[in-house]
mmCIF file of all heavy atoms in Angstrom:
data_model
loop_
_atom_site.group_PDB
_atom_site.id
_atom_site.type_symbol
_atom_site.label_atom_id
_atom_site.label_comp_id
_atom_site.label_asym_id
_atom_site.label_seq_id
_atom_site.Cartn_x
_atom_site.Cartn_y
_atom_site.Cartn_z
ATOM 1 N N ILE B 104 17.227 60.557 76.372
ATOM 2 C CA ILE B 104 17.584 61.790 77.068
ATOM 3 C C ILE B 104 16.387 62.730 76.973
ATOM 4 O O ILE B 104 16.116 63.308 75.925
ATOM 5 C CB ILE B 104 18.840 62.459 76.447
ATOM 6 C CG1 ILE B 104 20.021 61.475 76.436
ATOM 7 C CG2 ILE B 104 19.205 63.728 77.208
ATOM 8 C CD1 ILE B 104 21.262 61.997 75.724
ATOM 9 N N ASN B 151 29.613 60.333 81.650
ATOM 10 C CA ASN B 151 28.446 59.882 80.911
ATOM 11 C C ASN B 151 28.674 59.827 79.410
ATOM 12 O O ASN B 151 28.126 59.000 78.711
ATOM 13 C CB ASN B 151 27.249 60.772 81.232
ATOM 14 C CG ASN B 151 27.526 62.228 80.924
ATOM 15 O OD1 ASN B 151 28.478 62.806 81.436
ATOM 16 N ND2 ASN B 151 26.729 62.795 80.067
ATOM 17 N N CYS B 152 29.535 60.721 78.891
ATOM 18 C CA CYS B 152 29.738 60.736 77.446
ATOM 19 C C CYS B 152 30.515 59.510 76.962
ATOM 20 O O CYS B 152 30.425 59.151 75.795
ATOM 21 C CB CYS B 152 30.404 62.032 76.990
ATOM 22 S SG CYS B 152 29.221 63.400 77.000
ATOM 23 N N CYS B 155 27.689 57.158 76.448
ATOM 24 C CA CYS B 155 26.911 57.618 75.308
ATOM 25 C C CYS B 155 27.630 57.279 73.999
ATOM 26 O O CYS B 155 27.041 56.749 73.070
ATOM 27 C CB CYS B 155 26.727 59.125 75.435
ATOM 28 S SG CYS B 155 25.142 59.681 74.906
ATOM 29 N N CYS B 247 23.373 68.549 73.562
ATOM 30 C CA CYS B 247 23.030 67.507 74.512
ATOM 31 C C CYS B 247 23.115 68.082 75.920
ATOM 32 O O CYS B 247 24.101 68.698 76.292
ATOM 33 C CB CYS B 247 24.001 66.343 74.374
ATOM 34 S SG CYS B 247 23.835 65.114 75.674
ATOM 35 N N TYR B 249 23.586 66.670 78.610
ATOM 36 C CA TYR B 249 24.575 66.038 79.479
ATOM 37 C C TYR B 249 26.007 66.295 79.021
ATOM 38 O O TYR B 249 26.936 65.679 79.513
ATOM 39 C CB TYR B 249 24.346 64.521 79.522
ATOM 40 C CG TYR B 249 23.056 64.126 80.164
ATOM 41 C CD1 TYR B 249 22.306 63.067 79.676
ATOM 42 C CD2 TYR B 249 22.583 64.808 81.283
ATOM 43 C CE1 TYR B 249 21.124 62.684 80.271
ATOM 44 C CE2 TYR B 249 21.391 64.430 81.878
ATOM 45 C CZ TYR B 249 20.668 63.377 81.366
ATOM 46 O OH TYR B 249 19.498 62.992 81.956
ATOM 47 N N CYS B 355 28.784 64.604 72.496
ATOM 48 C CA CYS B 355 27.863 63.587 72.923
ATOM 49 C C CYS B 355 26.455 63.980 72.547
ATOM 50 O O CYS B 355 26.045 65.107 72.751
ATOM 51 C CB CYS B 355 27.972 63.453 74.421
ATOM 52 S SG CYS B 355 26.770 62.376 75.082
ATOM 53 N N GLY B 356 25.718 63.036 72.009
ATOM 54 C CA GLY B 356 24.322 63.318 71.724
ATOM 55 C C GLY B 356 24.060 63.837 70.330
ATOM 56 O O GLY B 356 22.920 63.966 69.931
HETATM 57 ZN ZN1 ZN C 3 25.228 62.846 76.169
#
Side-chain angles (χ1 to χ4, degrees):
Chain B
I104 304 174
N151 57 303
C152 285
C155 217
C247 171
Y249 294 142
C355 173

